[in-house]
Amino acid sequence: MASTQNSETPATEQVITEIFAKSLHIILESRSPYVSSRNYSLDQIPPSPSSSGGSPSTQPGGSRDKWFNLALRECPAALQNSDFWRQSNLEPLVIEILLVDRVSGTEKLLERWVVQYETRKHPGTGRKSKRTYRGATLLFRSLYLLVRLLPAYTLFREMNSSGRIRSLGLSHRIQSFVNPLTRSEEAEMAHLCLTPIDTPFGRLKHSVSYLSVVDDISIGSELSTPMSTELIPDYVGSPTTDPLKRFQTLPLGGSAPICVQPGRRHSWSTDRLGSLNLSPCSLPTHSDPQRPSIPLPLSEVQKGKRPVGCYPSSLSSPQKANLFRCESAPVSRDSERNQLVRFGELPSGVSLPKEISIGGDAIRYLDVAKLPLASGSCVGGSNVQLLDLHDSDANYPFASDDNRTKNYEGERSLAAIVGELLRMLETAPKLQIGFEKSDGPDQNPNPAHSGSRTAANALEELRSYMHMRDSILSQSGSHSLEPKPEKESNSKGSNSEKEMKERNRP
Amino acid sequence: MNCEVCELKELVVEQFEIREVLRCILHTIIFHRALGLVRPRDINCELFELTYVQCGVPEVEKEIEEKITEFISKISKHPNRRSHQVCLSFYETKDKQPAWFSSKTERVYWERWFINLQITNQRVNMKPNQTKVGFDPGEKLSSLEEKLHRTALETSVRENLFQIIKFVNEKMDHLPHIPPNAEGISYPYEITILSSSESSLDMLKRMLQTGHQTTLS
């Protein structure tokens, strides 16, 4: 146990030590996002308080949370640093709460808490240890409330309430010395002192210097916007942006990312460097000189990978097609760049589930082999990866010949793309019913031929049914309308036969 | 033993704000005086960006809600009176010499808190989020006034909380001895609703006349 110079009694020494520990616990519990026990479930709280007063540290498990009759849940941040200052109670405990910019690494001091033991000039005039304990009990009630009234608690609450990774975060630093504040810090900080706790040979003082206003906080010269969210006017999809930019990279086959909702507002930042805003949705993005700056709606960017997002990207090679797949899809990550992943057609032994939920958002994959289509929501925290398909030999029914739609500059105009799509829809063969029966895209190289067989078979079947009907009617003795339906059906059948033959003509 | 008195700064509230404001202040005071073992509960205010602390004792929460309901029903019966007071008192129970037609115990108050509220009638019949149909030139002004009022009230409530912290930190000597193994509430208390015509001074006079005397140290 740490000792003081004027040899407080062992009981008082223990109380002083626990005062330091409790102070650290209360402060860090409400200033350390994501590691605070506040995120723990209530089930972890012991059901009923045990006897109060005494020495909770002697209880099984060594829990000190009930010291000073204030039962707190465990705080990992406090436990990690509990031994730092135990070397001597004479050294002050200095806890600095910092606002950290994870991108630039700069820090801004929000609060500085100082707990310091001072010896008395005239020993023996102080209180007994019991009175010290009671004084500490009263002080910690106030301290517990005070940490929640200061402006930094609002930041803590915001960061804890949202599960997103932000560019700004709260951090803390624990020291045994007090760095003098700069002039600017002195000017903008307010100070509070709680009534000292008297001990027989000294007293313990709690004080805090805090930034009184955090609304317009800024770190260095990069940040100038407040913590509240702000609108980004030039988001992709906005009427003010170039629409061609948006459709420039439609994938082959017209498999547009349906997850993109036109007109939807997104608040992510497009520019990582330069002015960073403090919007909770601002996210670091990878810069790619080959790609236009496209905002990314995700809360997580994977290192070393291409920027993720639900938006199509401009590609150098027009033959590449982009598909969006769920990160949780059972596809090998190593081969994601070169491996063809088409919904409905999978490498052998791999089955694609019909429905994959990502963070609560369901993405459904159609069962049909020929449609590389993804529908559903893929924004708002879902991890979606952009893949490149190198397989240009894929027989997509909606695949188009790029040469037809390119102009001299090699760019595809919007009208050309739409026209191509319409053309494909008009000439597309019928979809085969039943995925298990389909043999893959390489089968049925001549869609027209398969179509004629189908029509002919249907025609024959129709004739057989008509013959059966005639026989039934003749048996029943009915003579009305027999010639007419036969003639009409025959004419229809002959017409359909003629149409099919005309189609089959080269 | 002294009876320490704390008069909190007056709060200007609308009718629908009374409950939340009283919850905040009453729970904060009781949390500071529940010196037995407690498991604090953080409560985020519904009306303000403010977090206060409850001592986590269900009986306390229930009693506070009942008293607030009683207060609201009382003030609704007197719409013309604007100033109201809620008094939170801590006492000790002491035995006194038995006498004819008198109780054997008496309450000795050692601390009193007076919460002062001024009720405004700007939107007595309107709900907090009620909107009007159609454009009203005065609507913008009223919404701006509402925001100003809400901001001012939040500031005042914060000042009240800081005032409570300051008071409990400065005055400790009058606190009675904490019973050993106390859990939760360590001192008995009572919440009384003062009529607007009766001030705190009048209440003290009434107490002296009825025999609930406090002894001075």
Side-chain angles (χ1 to χ4, degrees):
Chain A
M1 187 185 304
S3 62
T4 55
Q5 191 173 4
N6 282 352
S7 62
E8 299 268 10
T9 61
T12 306
E13 286 284 352
Q14 186 184 16
V15 171
I16 292 172
T17 301
E18 296 301 332
I19 287 173
F20 278 102
K22 199 75 169 183
S23 305
L24 186 70
H25 191 152
I26 290 174
I27 293 167
L28 290 186
E29 188 195 38
S30 60
R31 295 291 186 272
S32 295
Y34 308 111
V35 295
S36 165
S37 60
R38 303 224 65 81
N39 291 332
Y40 294 170
S41 65
L42 292 175
D43 296 335
Q44 296 182 358
I45 304 175
S48 59
S50 61
S51 59
S52 65
S55 307
S57 61
T58 59
Q59 292 175 2
S63 170
R64 56 154 63 101
D65 68 335
K66 298 189 185 72
W67 273 87
F68 311 108
N69 290 346
L70 192 64
L72 303 175
R73 281 168 283 186
E74 288 190 0
C75 177
L79 290 174
Q80 289 169 7
N81 297 284
S82 62
D83 295 331
F84 178 79
W85 45 265
R86 277 191 166 202
Q87 297 176 5
S88 171
N89 281 340
L90 289 176
E91 291 181 352
L93 172 63
V94 181
I95 307 167
E96 292 183 338
I97 307 298
L98 309 160
L99 186 66
V100 178
D101 184 356
R102 295 194 177 101
V103 176
S104 63
T106 51
E107 297 175 341
K108 173 83 175 172
L109 181 65
L110 293 180
E111 292 175 348
R112 175 185 286 169
W113 298 83
V114 179
V115 184
Q116 191 162 13
Y117 173 82
E118 296 174 347
T119 55
R120 286 183 184 278
K121 292 181 181 179
H122 304 287
T125 58
R127 297 170 181 264
K128 296 179 181 179
S129 60
K130 283 187 180 178
R131 302 279 287 183
T132 301
Y133 188 89
R134 193 176 93 155
T137 302
L138 291 165
L139 179 135
F140 284 126
R141 295 288 194 270
S142 300
L143 183 64
Y144 191 89
L145 176 65
L146 182 62
V147 294
R148 283 152 180 78
L149 292 180
L150 297 183
Y153 186 72
T154 308
L155 291 177
F156 168 78
R157 263 182 65 187
E158 277 185 23
M159 291 179 184
N160 252 4
S161 61
S162 169
R164 301 176 198 165
I165 297 178
R166 303 166 185 264
S167 59
L168 293 177
L170 282 179
S171 176
H172 62 272
R173 186 162 54 210
I174 300 175
Q175 300 168 341
S176 60
F177 53 90
V178 182
N179 278 329
L181 297 173
T182 62
R183 278 191 180 181
S184 60
E185 287 171 341
E186 280 280 354
E188 59 187 0
M189 281 192 154
H191 305 276
L192 275 177
C193 287
L194 295 175
T195 302
I197 305 169
D198 289 329
T199 68
F201 291 95
R203 61 180 189 175
L204 276 152
K205 288 174 61 177
H206 288 69
S207 61
V208 59
S209 303
Y210 64 97
L211 205 61
S212 52
V213 178
V214 295
D215 287 341
D216 294 327
I217 199 167
S218 63
I219 297 181
S221 59
E222 292 180 348
L223 308 173
S224 59
T225 53
M227 289 293 293
S228 59
T229 56
E230 63 174 36
L231 297 178
I232 299 176
D234 58 346
Y235 57 88
V236 172
S238 163
T240 60
T241 56
D242 185 5
L244 292 181
K245 191 178 182 182
R246 176 184 173 189
F247 291 101
Q248 190 172 3
T249 57
L250 264 184
L252 294 174
S255 59
I258 296 185
C259 60
V260 175
Q261 298 179 15
R264 183 176 176 182
R265 186 177 69 194
H266 301 278
S267 58
W268 50 87
S269 172
T270 62
D271 189 10
R272 172 186 169 180
L273 304 176
S275 63
L276 283 170
N277 58 37
L278 294 182
S279 166
C281 298
S282 66
L283 305 162
T285 63
H286 294 289
S287 59
D288 189 337
Q290 294 181 357
R291 305 161 68 97
S293 59
I294 297 174
L296 305 175
L298 300 180
S299 61
E300 186 172 336
V301 177
Q302 297 186 359
K303 257 189 176 180
K305 297 185 185 290
R306 302 182 67 172
V308 298
C310 286
Y311 288 93
S313 60
S314 62
L315 301 171
S316 55
S317 169
Q319 294 181 357
K320 291 182 182 179
N322 291 326
L323 281 183
F324 303 99
R325 75 166 174 88
C326 168
E327 191 179 7
S328 61
V331 179
S332 167
R333 282 177 181 258
D334 296 332
S335 58
E336 66 183 4
R337 285 185 176 269
N338 300 320
Q339 185 177 8
L340 172 66
V341 175
R342 280 164 287 175
F343 303 108
E345 180 187 355
L346 300 165
S348 60
V350 179
S351 61
L352 191 65
K354 287 188 180 180
E355 188 170 304
I356 296 176
S357 64
I358 308 166
D361 296 332
I363 295 184
R364 293 186 174 182
Y365 296 95
L366 295 183
D367 220 1
V368 181
K370 297 289 170 33
L371 290 180
L373 208 60
S375 65
S377 170
C378 58
V379 295
S382 304
N383 284 330
V384 178
Q385 280 198 343
L386 206 63
L387 292 183
D388 291 340
L389 298 180
H390 288 236
D391 190 356
S392 57
D393 297 330
N395 184 18
Y396 289 96
F398 302 127
S400 67
D401 185 1
D402 285 332
N403 295 326
R404 285 192 291 169
T405 56
K406 277 187 185 176
N407 54 19
Y408 275 98
E409 290 79 16
E411 298 176 349
R412 303 169 68 180
S413 64
L414 174 61
I417 293 168
V418 172
E420 178 192 344
L421 186 63
L422 288 173
R423 209 177 306 115
M424 287 181 207
L425 289 172
E426 286 172 2
T427 58
K430 293 181 182 179
L431 299 174
Q432 295 184 6
I433 299 173
F435 171 66
E436 296 79 10
K437 294 181 182 178
S438 67
D439 297 327
D442 291 328
Q443 298 291 330
N444 299 326
N446 190 356
H449 180 63
S450 63
S452 65
R453 285 184 196 170
T454 307
N457 291 338
L459 187 60
E460 285 178 5
E461 196 172 348
L462 175 64
R463 285 182 178 171
S464 65
Y465 282 133
M466 287 170 57
H467 182 70
M468 285 169 59
R469 192 200 68 167
D470 294 340
S471 62
I472 292 170
L473 288 175
S474 62
Q475 288 175 4
S476 63
S478 170
H479 299 288
S480 61
L481 299 178
E482 276 187 6
K484 289 185 181 179
E486 285 183 356
K487 284 182 184 177
E488 289 176 354
S489 62
N490 286 335
S491 63
K492 282 181 183 175
S494 61
N495 287 338
S496 64
E497 277 184 344
K498 285 180 184 175
E499 285 176 3
M500 294 307 299
K501 284 177 182 175
E502 287 173 2
R503 270 193 188 178
N504 293 336
R505 287 177 189 173
Chain B
M1 182 188 304
N2 286 335
C3 177
E4 298 288 348
V5 176
C6 181
E7 286 262 2
L8 294 175
K9 185 183 170 185
E10 187 177 68
L11 301 168
V12 179
V13 297
E14 297 187 19
Q15 189 121 2
F16 70 93
E17 296 168 334
I18 292 172
R19 182 170 292 275
E20 196 64 17
V21 167
L22 283 178
R23 274 177 187 160
C24 182
I25 296 176
L26 287 170
H27 276 291
T28 298
I29 298 171
I30 291 177
F31 173 67
H32 280 86
R33 290 293 178 247
L35 300 181
L37 179 63
V38 296
R39 296 189 185 279
R41 282 181 59 207
D42 296 353
I43 306 294
N44 299 321
C45 266
E46 296 173 0
L47 298 177
F48 318 114
E49 282 291 322
L50 189 67
T51 300
Y52 65 96
V53 186
Q54 293 184 1
C55 62
V57 179
E59 291 78 17
V60 171
E61 188 175 349
K62 183 184 173 187
E63 185 174 353
I64 287 177
E65 292 299 312
E66 288 173 355
K67 286 295 180 181
I68 293 175
T69 304
E70 182 184 335
F71 175 78
I72 293 174
S73 66
K74 268 192 179 180
I75 64 169
S76 62
K77 293 175 185 174
H78 305 281
N80 296 328
R81 295 177 185 172
R82 294 206 167 181
S83 295
H84 300 269
Q85 252 185 353
V86 176
C87 179
L88 172 57
S89 309
F90 295 93
Y91 61 89
E92 274 187 304
T93 304
K94 286 192 174 178
D95 297 331
K96 69 175 184 180
Q97 292 181 355
W100 289 103
F101 302 109
S102 65
S103 59
K104 297 180 181 179
T105 60
E106 64 176 348
R107 289 182 176 183
V108 178
Y109 295 90
W110 50 269
E111 190 173 89
R112 287 184 180 272
W113 299 80
F114 291 97
I115 305 167
N116 298 293
L117 300 177
Q118 184 180 5
I119 315 297
T120 61
N121 295 326
Q122 286 182 1
R123 298 185 307 161
V124 172
N125 296 324
M126 285 177 63
K127 293 180 181 177
N129 297 323
Q130 186 173 352
T131 55
K132 296 180 183 176
V133 178
F135 177 72
D136 184 2
E139 187 175 346
K140 276 190 176 178
L141 183 63
S142 64
S143 65
L144 179 62
E145 287 176 353
E146 178 192 344
K147 285 179 185 175
L148 290 174
H149 161 77
R150 188 65 59 83
T151 306
L153 179 58
E154 181 179 334
T155 305
S156 298
V157 170
R158 281 183 184 272
E159 287 178 3
N160 269 221
L161 298 183
F162 276 104
Q163 192 178 352
I164 293 169
I165 292 175
K166 185 182 173 189
F167 183 87
V168 299
N169 270 266
E170 287 178 351
K171 301 178 187 298
M172 300 181 197
D173 295 335
H174 63 290
L175 264 65
H177 173 67
I178 303 172
N181 302 326
E183 291 183 4
I185 301 300
S186 52
Y187 305 119
Y189 66 94
E190 66 178 15
I191 302 173
T192 50
I193 300 166
L194 302 178
S195 60
S196 59
S197 59
E198 185 180 22
S199 68
S200 55
L201 188 60
D202 293 336
M203 184 181 180
L204 286 173
K205 286 181 183 174
R206 181 167 58 83
M207 286 167 49
L208 289 170
Q209 290 168 1
T210 55
H212 288 83
Q213 297 189 2
T214 58
T215 57
L216 298 176
S217 60

